[in-house]
Structure formats: structure tokens, C-alpha cells
Amino acid sequence: MLFLSISIDVGYASLLVCVIYIHLYFPFTLYFLRHARSRNYVSESEMCKLESVPLDFGDYHPLKPITVTESKTKKMNRKGSTSSTSSSSSSSVMDPLSSVLDGTDPLSLFAAAADPGAAAPPTEGARRKRDKDESSAVGSDFEPWSSKRGEILARYTTTEKLSINLYMGSEKGKTTTTGSAVSEKVRTRLEELDDLEEGSQKELLNLTQQDYMNRIEELNQSLKDAWSSDQKVKALKIVIQCSKLLSDTTVIQFYPSKFVLITDILDTFGKLVYERILSMCVDNRVSLPDNFSPESVNDTAKETCLNWFFKIASIRELIPRFYVEAAILKCNKFLSKTGISECLPRLTSMIRGIGDPLVAVYARAYLCRVGMEVAPQLKESLNKNFFDFLLTFKQIHGDTVQNQLVVQCVEIPLYLTLYSPAIDWILQCIAYHAPDVLLTEMMERCKKLGNNALLLNSVMSAFRAEFIAARSMDFIGMIKECDESGFPKHLLFRSLGLNLALADPPENDRLQILNEAWKVITKLKNPQDYINCAEVWVEYTCRHFTKREVNTVLADVIKHMTPDRAFEDAYPQLQSIIQKVITYIYDFALLFSVEKFLPFLDMFQKESVRVEVCKCIMESFIKHQQEPTKDPVILNALLHVCKTMHDSVNALTLEDEKRMLAALINGFIKMVSFGRDFEQQLSFYVEARSMFCNLEPVLVQLIHSVNQLAMETRRVMKGNHSRKTAAFVRACVAFCFITIPSLSSIFTRLNLYLHSGQVALANQCLSQADAFFKAAVSLVPEVPKMISVDGKMRPSDAFLLEFLCNFFSTLLVVPDHPEQGVLFLVRGLLNVIQDYTWEDNSDDKVRIYTNVLHLLSAMTQEAFIYHVDKVDSNDALYGGDSKFLAEINKLSETVVSQILDHLKTLGKEETLKRQSQLALYFFNTILAHGDLRNNRLNQLSVNLWNLAQKHGFADTKTMVKTLEYIKRKSKQPEMSHFTDLALRLPLQSRT
């Protein structure tokens, strides 16, 4: 007593004196746990609740939208009054911004002052013009050419040898003639253009398709290089040379792809010319707006633009002259407002001079493509372009074309497909936002042509799906009248089916449409032709008919694709069919009642494809299944599907793929419920465990599901288990105990041991709960120093600390085993923590010990803060027995000595900050759990406080808030001794 009455200096030395005294004479437990603060948890909980204050909101609600009212402000000149605001609205809600601004908006006033015309309402003519421009512009619903480019290049290929002419430059000397400089310049450039036709080319023969494409790309790069080096004439020569290639049809089946490659170069040239002229229009570093008028273009730019058109006009051959002028059609904007509208009809008429119908139709397609980019509102020229094509359509079946096909050994059906990309594009441009009257007129014109299957197919590809669907029977009649030898009818029915998948035909015609289409489809002998059509019409069948019709279609597909294992070449189409079926039949009880659905799945023999199909099925099930199911048909089928996915996992499977498969299987497991038949539910989980043992997330889900099943049993029995339910719960616990060791992740095992032990404890399975907790304790030494988290290696200390804190919270309510001694689990866990190898720079061990003090303090209370229903914890078993408290004191003495020893080791300069943090952490523990009316405990807390801020590493804000908390608590009647404590806790500055 005399020793403690001496004034103790602030600092670490005084703490050591206190520690020595503590260890020699007064064990810490004698005045920490014997003097642990008695807790009345109920009153403390009530005290911590927020005070409820009744509020009268009236009409106000924070989620109610604010009504902004138009306010009229009157200025009052009376003294003491500034302004009053009267609202023309009866709303009681005032807009605070408007009231502050006196009803004026400075931004609006500023804008009105800058642009007086902005506030004026638009005239009727301007509004009509704006609406017309908006309606004529190409929107996002228009499929661009770029989306078709790749498909054309992939579809139209050849193995034949190709040839190409490369520009080699001119070696011809130049002679000087008399005359003006302008005439000399013109003469020189004309000679340079003529030079292209006078032997400055080199023909490359016997090129493969890839070599040809590489040469074209070289020409494209040469064009850019020539332009960047200011060799404009050379660039023009390259474009002319490339354009000439479009008149060559010697390898006719490659022509669509050639068109795509060459027009890429033309597009590049047109863009370069346009940007060149546009850059010449920059005045005082201000460029032209997008909607500029020709009047704002300077004379130099106009002269340059005219010069380009004059150069192009001097090209002798029709095809290059047409393509190059079409490429720079947009440049007419620099010359006049009507330039484009005047050029389009002229260019349309020029195409009439092209004799080859295939070359001509692609020229028309290019003109439509350019026209839609620069002047989409000029639909008249586009329509004229198409009607010109109709007039020359009969050339396709003329003798000239037939002779050419014989020479190249090309069949007429293949030849006709070469027209499809061009005609489809022309019709798409015409049909965009076109009225039904125009579309009807075009359809009638197509009817009058003989052998019109090609046109009919393009019409169905380009016109709106609603237009086609409404006239489905008319189109079927036209398809029947088509000549089978020209364009195959099954392609026409496929195009019709694509439209009917997007829009619904009249209800009365639906069955007749299906019958007419399937009559043709089912007669197809070629499996590839058959499946291409069937794939499209399956969607129509699923949309409008019952499972009977769907089953019939699937049976027909199986019949056609099974012979000679034809299905192996049609996996993409078969996958598409499955996707469409499960999209429209998402009631899986109905789906699996379709007799031919599972036999259809058996056609997927390739494992990778089969797994993808199974994933689609499970995704659909998880998305659409709203209620849990116990239907045996669904369960058996989906277990088979999930087993297929699981069995595809091997050593080479990526982790992302494993996670995806596990998530799908887990989604299925969660949707299985047998209601009150808990035994059947457990049997399902046991079967699932045997089927999905290679996917760890699935095993984790099964453990959680079984634990949930045990808790559901407890809820049904209201905690009073019968002999039968007690045995069932023990079976659930055994399931978890057997399954957890098979997991590889150590923290997953630790958390599941803890969780399952809590479930066992809640169901009064005390020995099983002890087994779980013992297993968790024995697993702690195996925790590695580093663990993988999201693919990155991280220290495990923080995760272990979190787990142990949760474990301590559970151990509070775990009753001692009668044969194991007092607090045997706590002792075992402390031994494991003591022996565990911690990182040298880690204080987690001491933080864990501090949390153990929280646990031991709670154990000394007469009634624990929480209990497990129908389980007697140690407060009920021991009833505050002195021997029990003595055992707790011994544990506390050991723990405290460990904490103080660790604080002593942190006296080095590089660890003073950690010492400060731990001292404050320990201080807060004493503050929360100790009875500070005891002088010795009070003195230790003061020493810890001083040590925390001795070396200037304490967080001043934290110290201030802690001291404020102590002063606030001292105002409570039972905490008056905190007043003296607060006076003994000085705040030291860092200086």
C-alpha cells in the first residue's frame, strides 16, 4: 500500500516498476478479474439506444419531389422591407433556389443577353425543317456497312489464282514547252494521268487470296504514304488503278470480297480529299461548323475542290471515273448546296453504261452507300437507282452471263448468291424509314419479273420485319412460284423465317405458314441446308405453338441429323436450336415433358459443346425458376446436366471456368426443396456430394445447406427435439464433419468448423459441437503465413485474427465438458496461439490476448451477455463458483504477463509507434472491462495512458475523444470515480 501511494513518474520506467510489483506481489487477476466491472447488460443496452423524438412532418417527406413554382417578385420600397414573393401556383412547397435568386436565373439572363434570338420561339417553317432533318438522318437502327464487311469477306472466298496490276511510276522524261505557267501545270498533270495507261503498270499473276489481300493493303498504305508526302497525283493514280480492278470478273466468286477491299481504299481517298479541302477553309484558326454553307468556303478551297473534280472528269474509263467521283461526292458541299442532289442522278445514269450486271449492281450499291452517308434525305435518287436495276435485271439470265459462267465452271445458284450483298444493301437503304406504300410498290414490281427469287430474298432481308410478317401468305405464294433451279427455295423460306422471328404474322395464318414452310424444309436432303432452315423456324414454332409442335420439330431434326452423324458438322445450329427452345419454354416441368428434348441433347457428342449447352440450360433454369422444386423429372434431368458440367473439370480447367460451373450447380442446389420431408432433402445433399466432389465451392454450399436444414428442423420443433429429429440433426452434423476435411482452403475449413459447431450447439448436440471446435483448434497451427486472395499472395495474420475473435465470441456460451476440465477449449486455443509462429513485426498475437481478456471478463459475470436457447452455459453450470473464478484468474494472469512482456520488447526506437498503439489498446480494454474504483487497476491504466503518448506517436484526436468519453461517463451515478481518473490523464503535445 505504501508503494502505491508514492507518486509514479510518467513513462515506461514507471510502468516497469508497476509490472515488477504486479508480478511479485499482486497478480493482475486479483485486481482485474476479481475487480472486473460488474455488467448489467440490459440497462447498458437501454442506455445506448438513441432517443426517439416525435416529429411533425406535415406534408413534407424527404422522398417527395420538390415542386418548383414560377414566382413573381415585387419590389417594395417601404423601409425595413426588401422584397415579397407571390407565387402563381397553389403549391405550398417553395423552391429555395428561386427564392434566393428573387425569381431570376443569372445563367438564363446571361444566355439571353448573348443570343437574343435564342429566347424567341422557332417559326413554323424552321420547326418543319428541323423535324424533316431529324427524320431523314440515319439513326442507330440503320445497320452500317461496316457490320456487313466481315461477313462478306468470310463468305466469299476462292482457292483460284488471282492477278493484280501494281503502279510502278513513270520514267518518261518531261519536255518544256512555251506557254503560260498555268497551261504547263495542266499539261503536266494530264500527261501524268495518261502515263498510267502507257505501260506504268506491273501485272502480278498467280496470287493466292491472302497474297491478293496483302497486295491490296500495300496499295492502301501506298496511297496514304503518297498523300502524306504531298504526291497527290500519285495517290490519284493508285485509286484509279484500284478502281479498274472492279471491272475484272475473271474469278467471279471472289468479286464481293474484292469489292469490299477496293472500296476501303476509295473510302480512304475520299476522306483524305475532304479533310484536305476542309483544312483549307480554316480562317483565323476557326474551322467550319458541321452544317456549313458553300458561301462560307473561301475561293482557294473551292478552286482546289473544282480541280479535283476536273482531274477525275479526265479519266477515260467509265468504271474508275464513276468510283473515284463517288468517293469524293461529299466534297460537293464546298461548291454548292445542290451539288450532291445534282450529282447523284448523273452518277446513277452513268451506271447504265456498265455492261456486266454483277459489276453494275455493286456500283449501284457503292453509290447507295455513299449517298446514305452524305445525303440520306435524297431517297428519290436511291429509288431511281433500284428501278434502273430492275430494268436490267433480265441481263442476269442472258447469254453473255451464261457463257461466262460456263467458262468459269460456276453454277447459276452460286452465281446468284454473289448478288445478295449488293441487292440487300440497296434495298436496306431504300427501305429505311420508307412508307408502306413505297415498299408495296417495289414488291409488286418484283412480282412482275421472271425468276425473281434473288430479288424476293433480298426484299425479305431488307424490308422491315413487320411489313413482311403482315404479308406472310403473299410471300409464301411468291416463293412457291419461283423457279427451283435458280435460287433455292429453302433459302427463301429461311429469310421468311428470320422475319417471323422478329414480328408476328396474323394469328389465323400462323399454322398454315408453319405447314407450308416445313413441307419444303423436311424434304431437304442436304443436312447442312436442312439445319440452316430448321434452326430459324424452330424459334417461330416455339413462339406461337405448344409443346406438341415443338416436339414434332425436334423429332424431325433428330431424324435428319442422326444418319451418318451429320450432327457433328452442325453443332452451332443445334446449339442455337437449344437456346431458342429454352428461351421460350422456360417452365422446366413443361420443357422436360417434351419427349424429344433429352434425345436432342444426346446429339451433342463433343464434350466442349455439350458443356456449353448444359451451361445454357442451367443459366435459363436459375434465371426463370421462381419457386423451389422437388419434381423428380426436373431433378433427374438437371442432375444429369450438372454432372456433365462437373465431369468436364480436369487439371487444365481454368479457375474462372471452375467458379462459373460451381455457381451454376450451386444455383440448382439452392432451388431444390422437398418441403417438410427433411430426410429426403438430406438424401439429395448426400447424392449431390458424391456427384460434385471435384468442385470445392459446391461442397461448401452443400455444407451450408445441410446446416440450414438442421436449423430449419430446430425451428419446426421449436427447439424441443424428439428422438427422431435429434437423430436426424446428428446425421446433418455428421455430414458436415465428414465433408469439411475434404476442402483445400484452410480458412474455409476453419470458418465451416466454427459455423457447423454453432449449429450443433444450437441443436443441443454438445459432444458434436466440441468435436467441431477441437478440430478448429487443431487446425490453427496449420495456417500458412501467406495465403492467396483473388490471385494475390497476402499475409494471413489479419484473417486469423478475425477468425479467432469470432471463435472467442462462441466459446463464451460453450459449456465445459465434465471430463475435460475447466475451460479446456480456451486453454487449448491459448496454447495453440502461444506456439504459433507470428511475424516479427506483427502485434496480432497481443491483440488476440487482449480479446481473450474480453472473453474472460465476460465469463466472470453472474449472467452472460447472450446464451444459446436450451443450452446451459458456464454461468448456469458453475453459478459463480470460486474455483471456477480462480481458474479464470490463472488464465488472466498468464495472458496479462504475455501482453506486458510484449510491451517491454517494443521499447526500441523503431517500434515505439507500435508500443504506443498497443498501450492505448490495452488501456481501452481496462477502461471497458475493469473496475477502476480499484486503486491498483486505476494506476495501471494511468501508466498505460502515459506510455501511449510518451514518445509523441499517439493520435491526438483519438486521445482527446477518449478523454471526452471518460468525462461524459463520469456524469453517470455509478461512474463517478471516472472524474478522478480524468484528472489523472494529461494530454501531452507532440512537441
Side-chain angles (χ1 to χ4, degrees):
M1 296 296 292
L2 180 62
F3 183 83
L4 288 178
S5 65
I6 299 174
S7 174
I8 300 177
D9 294 334
V10 176
Y12 185 65
S14 61
L15 178 62
L16 289 180
V17 173
C18 185
V19 170
I20 295 171
Y21 183 74
I22 287 167
H23 281 287
L24 294 178
Y25 301 101
F26 295 96
F28 177 75
T29 52
L30 293 180
Y31 59 84
F32 178 69
L33 292 179
R34 285 185 182 176
H35 296 284
R37 184 160 63 90
S38 298
R39 309 292 290 272
N40 188 334
Y41 295 117
V42 176
S43 63
E44 287 184 27
S45 176
E46 291 295 328
M47 189 178 301
C48 292
K49 286 183 178 178
L50 295 176
E51 182 181 0
S52 59
V53 179
L55 295 177
D56 183 15
F57 288 101
D59 292 334
Y60 170 76
H61 189 278
L63 299 182
K64 184 178 180 180
I66 295 177
T67 303
V68 181
T69 60
E70 182 181 359
S71 301
K72 298 178 181 178
T73 305
K74 298 179 181 179
K75 297 292 182 180
M76 308 298 290
N77 294 326
R78 297 192 305 270
K79 183 178 180 180
S81 177
T82 56
S83 65
S84 64
T85 305
S86 62
S87 174
S88 59
S89 171
S90 60
S91 173
S92 61
V93 183
M94 176 73 69
D95 177 13
L97 296 180
S98 298
S99 61
V100 170
L101 296 172
D102 273 343
T104 60
D105 179 4
L107 295 179
S108 299
L109 293 177
F110 177 78
D115 185 11
T123 62
E124 187 63 27
R127 186 182 296 109
R128 198 181 302 118
K129 181 179 184 301
R130 185 186 66 236
D131 294 342
K132 180 180 179 181
D133 291 342
E134 290 177 355
S135 64
S136 62
V138 176
S140 58
D141 55 338
F142 183 81
E143 185 180 5
W145 174 259
S146 57
S147 65
K148 300 177 180 292
R149 181 182 182 280
E151 180 185 351
I152 295 173
L153 290 174
R155 180 180 177 186
Y156 298 97
T157 59
T158 183
T159 57
E160 296 187 27
K161 299 300 181 181
L162 303 165
S163 63
I164 190 173
N165 294 324
L166 288 180
Y167 171 67
M168 302 300 295
S170 175
E171 301 296 333
K172 186 169 60 176
K174 302 291 188 298
T175 57
T176 305
T177 59
T178 58
S180 66
V182 175
S183 299
E184 177 63 25
K185 185 177 180 181
V186 172
R187 184 189 302 275
T188 301
R189 293 194 173 179
L190 288 175
E191 288 178 353
E192 288 176 348
L193 287 177
D194 291 339
D195 191 34
L196 183 61
E197 302 176 10
E198 294 178 1
S200 61
Q201 305 175 62
K202 177 182 177 182
E203 186 173 15
L204 298 179
L205 303 175
N206 297 324
L207 298 177
T208 64
Q209 177 179 325
Q210 188 58 49
D211 291 337
Y212 188 91
M213 296 173 69
N214 292 339
R215 295 295 184 181
I216 294 294
E217 182 57 34
E218 289 176 10
L219 285 174
N220 199 359
Q221 188 59 44
S222 298
L223 167 65
K224 296 176 183 177
D225 294 342
W227 191 273
S228 61
S229 60
D230 205 27
Q231 297 179 357
K232 304 297 189 295
V233 173
K234 180 180 178 181
L236 179 58
K237 288 181 180 181
I238 293 174
V239 176
I240 294 172
Q241 175 187 348
C242 292
S243 302
K244 282 187 174 184
L245 296 175
L246 291 175
S247 61
D248 177 23
T249 58
T250 51
V251 185
I252 200 166
Q253 62 267 34
F254 185 65
Y255 190 84
S257 293
K258 182 196 290 187
F259 171 80
V260 170
L261 297 172
I262 299 301
T263 52
D264 284 349
I265 297 178
L266 290 167
D267 293 340
T268 300
F269 177 72
K271 183 178 179 182
L272 291 172
V273 173
Y274 183 83
E275 291 178 350
R276 163 67 176 162
I277 300 173
L278 186 64
S279 65
M280 299 174 68
C281 300
V282 177
D283 188 18
N284 295 327
R285 296 187 178 182
V286 177
S287 59
L288 291 177
D290 293 338
N291 55 345
F292 66 88
S293 62
E295 290 78 13
S296 57
V297 179
N298 57 49
D299 293 339
T300 304
K302 286 184 177 181
E303 182 181 354
T304 304
C305 185
L306 280 171
N307 190 25
W308 275 109
F309 280 109
F310 290 153
K311 287 178 184 177
I312 294 168
S314 66
I315 300 174
R316 297 176 182 177
E317 296 186 25
L318 172 62
I319 290 178
R321 185 167 71 249
F322 164 80
Y323 273 106
V324 179
E325 183 174 355
I328 67 166
L329 180 65
K330 189 177 181 181
C331 295
N332 280 283
K333 293 172 60 176
F334 296 106
L335 301 177
S336 67
K337 294 181 179 179
T338 60
I340 295 177
S341 60
E342 293 171 355
C343 284
L344 277 175
R346 179 173 55 81
L347 291 173
T348 301
S349 300
M350 285 173 63
I351 300 175
R352 296 175 182 175
I354 301 176
D356 190 312
L358 183 64
V359 177
V361 76
Y362 276 94
R364 297 185 190 280
Y366 186 69
L367 186 60
C368 287
R369 179 174 144 198
V370 175
M372 286 298 289
E373 291 177 0
V374 302
Q377 71 278 7
L378 300 177
K379 287 291 187 67
E380 296 80 4
S381 298
L382 301 181
N383 298 342
K384 181 175 181 292
N385 193 3
F386 179 69
F387 291 143
D388 276 2
F389 167 71
L390 292 181
L391 294 175
T392 59
F393 181 72
K394 59 185 179 181
Q395 292 179 351
I396 294 176
H397 302 280
D399 294 339
T400 305
V401 172
Q402 297 298 327
N403 294 336
Q404 184 183 15
L405 297 182
V406 171
V407 172
Q408 298 197 33
C409 300
V410 176
E411 299 292 335
I412 187 67
L414 175 61
Y415 175 70
L416 291 179
T417 60
L418 302 178
Y419 284 82
S420 295
I423 300 177
D424 290 352
W425 178 258
I426 295 171
L427 287 173
Q428 178 185 329
C429 296
I430 295 173
Y432 183 67
H433 289 176
D436 286 355
V437 176
L438 175 62
L439 301 183
T440 304
E441 178 189 354
M442 296 175 64
M443 194 175 78
E444 292 299 326
R445 291 201 182 194
C446 292
K447 279 184 181 180
K448 297 176 182 179
L449 296 173
N451 297 327
N452 63 346
L454 173 63
L455 279 176
L456 188 59
N457 185 67
S458 294
V459 166
M460 288 188 291
S461 300
F463 283 16
R464 293 191 302 272
E466 295 79 9
F467 179 87
I468 304 297
R471 299 162 178 79
S472 299
M473 293 307 300
D474 293 340
F475 278 97
I476 287 178
M478 295 169 64
I479 292 173
K480 287 182 177 180
E481 296 173 1
C482 289
D483 184 6
E484 181 71 30
S485 62
F487 198 91
K489 285 186 179 180
H490 68 269
L491 294 181
L492 298 176
F493 274 107
R494 185 178 189 277
S495 297
L496 179 61
L498 289 172
N499 282 281
L500 297 182
L502 300 174
D504 298 334
E507 188 172 355
N508 296 334
D509 297 338
R510 291 175 183 174
L511 183 58
Q512 185 179 356
I513 292 171
L514 179 61
N515 289 334
E516 294 291 344
W518 209 258
K519 284 178 186 176
V520 176
I521 296 172
T522 194
K523 292 179 182 179
L524 295 173
K525 301 301 181 183
N526 186 314
Q528 202 62 38
D529 292 341
Y530 170 84
I531 197 63
N532 285 335
C533 288
E535 171 200 358
V536 173
W537 283 90
V538 163
E539 183 170 5
Y540 174 78
T541 308
C542 294
R543 277 171 65 99
H544 301 298
F545 299 99
T546 64
K547 70 172 188 177
R548 175 175 170 271
E549 288 79 10
V550 174
N551 189 66
T552 302
V553 171
L554 293 181
D556 195 61
V557 174
I558 295 172
K559 176 183 174 182
H560 280 78
M561 302 307 295
T562 304
D564 300 325
R565 299 178 68 86
F567 54 78
E568 292 182 345
D569 298 322
Y571 281 139
Q573 293 88 341
L574 295 175
Q575 279 184 266
S576 176
I577 290 175
I578 285 289
Q579 187 67 53
K580 289 168 182 175
V581 170
I582 62 179
T583 297
Y584 291 97
I585 307 178
Y586 44 79
D587 181 352
F588 275 71
L590 179 62
L591 177 65
F592 290 122
S593 67
V594 176
E595 182 182 351
K596 295 297 180 180
F597 182 75
L598 292 178
F600 190 92
L601 289 180
D602 291 337
M603 287 195 294
F604 294 97
Q605 301 287 319
K606 189 177 180 181
E607 185 185 43
S608 60
V609 179
R610 190 179 184 86
V611 171
E612 287 300 319
V613 171
C614 291
K615 286 160 64 175
C616 289
I617 294 173
M618 293 310 303
E619 287 171 356
S620 178
F621 176 80
I622 294 171
K623 179 180 179 181
H624 295 108
Q625 188 72 22
Q626 301 295 328
E627 298 293 333
T629 182
K630 61 178 180 178
D631 188 323
V633 176
I634 296 178
L635 297 187
N636 289 333
L638 292 184
L639 275 174
H640 174 70
V641 169
C642 292
K643 178 65 173 172
T644 301
M645 295 192 299
H646 170 269
D647 291 347
S648 69
V649 175
N650 54 45
L652 300 179
T653 305
L654 297 176
E655 288 300 321
D656 286 345
E657 179 71 9
K658 289 182 181 179
R659 278 194 291 269
M660 180 185 298
L661 296 177
L664 293 174
I665 297 174
N666 286 343
F668 164 63
I669 291 173
K670 293 176 184 177
M671 294 305 298
V672 176
S673 174
F674 290 89
R676 289 292 183 90
D677 192 351
F678 294 157
E679 292 181 352
Q680 183 66 30
Q681 188 82 32
L682 183 59
S683 298
F684 170 78
Y685 292 144
V686 172
E687 182 182 3
R689 181 180 62 183
S690 65
M691 295 178 70
F692 310 126
C693 56
N694 290 333
L695 288 174
E696 189 164 305
V698 178
L699 296 179
V700 173
Q701 177 59 45
L702 288 171
I703 294 170
H704 284 305
S705 297
V706 171
N707 280 329
Q708 185 177 0
L709 184 61
M711 294 305 294
E712 181 66 14
T713 306
R714 178 181 181 274
R715 186 189 66 81
V716 171
M717 299 303 295
K718 298 181 180 178
N720 300 310
H721 284 297
S722 64
R723 180 177 298 179
K724 181 178 180 180
T725 59
F728 174 77
V729 168
R730 286 195 293 273
C732 293
V733 171
F735 176 98
C736 297
F737 194 78
I738 293 171
T739 309
I740 292 174
S742 64
L743 304 177
S744 61
S745 172
I746 191 164
F747 277 103
T748 301
R749 277 186 281 161
L750 283 172
N751 288 311
L752 286 176
Y753 274 133
L754 178 58
H755 179 64
S756 300
Q758 293 167 345
V759 172
L761 192 63
N763 285 280
Q764 300 112 52
C765 302
L766 301 184
S767 59
Q768 287 84 354
D770 284 346
F772 279 114
F773 297 141
K774 287 179 182 177
V777 171
S778 63
L779 192 59
V780 169
E782 300 178 18
V783 175
K785 296 293 179 291
M786 304 292 289
I787 59 173
S788 177
V789 180
D790 296 332
K792 298 180 180 179
M793 299 304 294
R794 300 184 184 278
S796 62
D797 291 357
F799 298 95
L800 182 58
L801 176 61
E802 180 184 2
F803 166 76
L804 291 175
C805 290
N806 291 334
F807 200 178
F808 293 144
S809 300
T810 302
L811 291 179
L812 175 64
V813 294
V814 177
D816 283 343
H817 194 284
E819 299 177 0
Q820 298 289 343
V822 178
L823 303 179
F824 73 100
L825 285 174
V826 177
R827 291 176 185 275
L829 187 55
L830 286 175
N831 290 333
V832 168
I833 295 171
Q834 177 64 28
D835 296 336
Y836 186 80
T837 305
W838 299 88
E839 293 291 338
D840 295 336
N841 59 347
S842 172
D843 298 320
D844 288 333
K845 182 177 180 180
V846 175
R847 295 183 184 276
I848 291 171
Y849 281 148
T850 308
N851 286 325
V852 171
L853 291 179
H854 301 169
L855 169 63
L856 297 176
S857 174
M859 284 183 170
T860 62
Q861 305 299 320
E862 292 183 4
F864 290 172
I865 186 171
Y866 47 81
H867 296 84
V868 176
D869 189 30
K870 295 182 173 55
V871 174
D872 290 332
S873 299
N874 286 337
D875 58 341
L877 294 178
Y878 293 107
D881 184 75
S882 58
K883 293 182 180 179
F884 173 66
L885 295 178
E887 291 295 329
I888 295 177
N889 290 341
K890 290 179 182 178
L891 284 178
S892 302
E893 181 178 1
T894 303
V895 170
V896 171
S897 65
Q898 291 286 336
I899 296 174
L900 296 177
D901 287 344
H902 187 77
L903 280 173
K904 182 179 179 181
T905 62
L906 298 179
K908 300 177 182 179
E909 183 177 355
E910 62 271 14
T911 58
L912 290 178
K913 184 175 182 180
R914 289 166 53 198
Q915 184 190 63
S916 172
Q917 293 172 345
L918 284 180
L920 183 60
Y921 190 59
F922 193 19
F923 170 83
N924 287 329
T925 296
I926 297 176
L927 189 66
H929 299 281
D931 185 358
L932 291 176
R933 288 174 294 188
N934 180 274
N935 292 333
R936 297 164 184 165
L937 193 58
N938 194 301
Q939 184 60 53
L940 178 61
S941 65
V942 172
N943 290 345
L944 290 170
W945 174 272
N946 292 331
L947 179 61
Q949 56 182 346
K950 176 181 178 182
H951 299 286
F953 289 105
D955 184 10
T956 305
K957 290 184 178 179
T958 302
M959 305 295 284
V960 169
K961 289 183 178 179
T962 303
L963 189 57
E964 289 176 353
Y965 166 79
I966 295 173
K967 293 178 180 179
R968 190 164 59 250
K969 294 288 287 185
S970 68
K971 297 179 182 179
Q972 299 177 9
E974 66 275 13
M975 295 291 183
S976 58
H977 57 283
F978 272 31
T979 303
D980 295 335
L981 177 64
L983 295 175
R984 301 179 62 192
L985 300 178
L987 285 175
Q988 296 181 356
S989 65
R990 290 182 180 271
T991 58

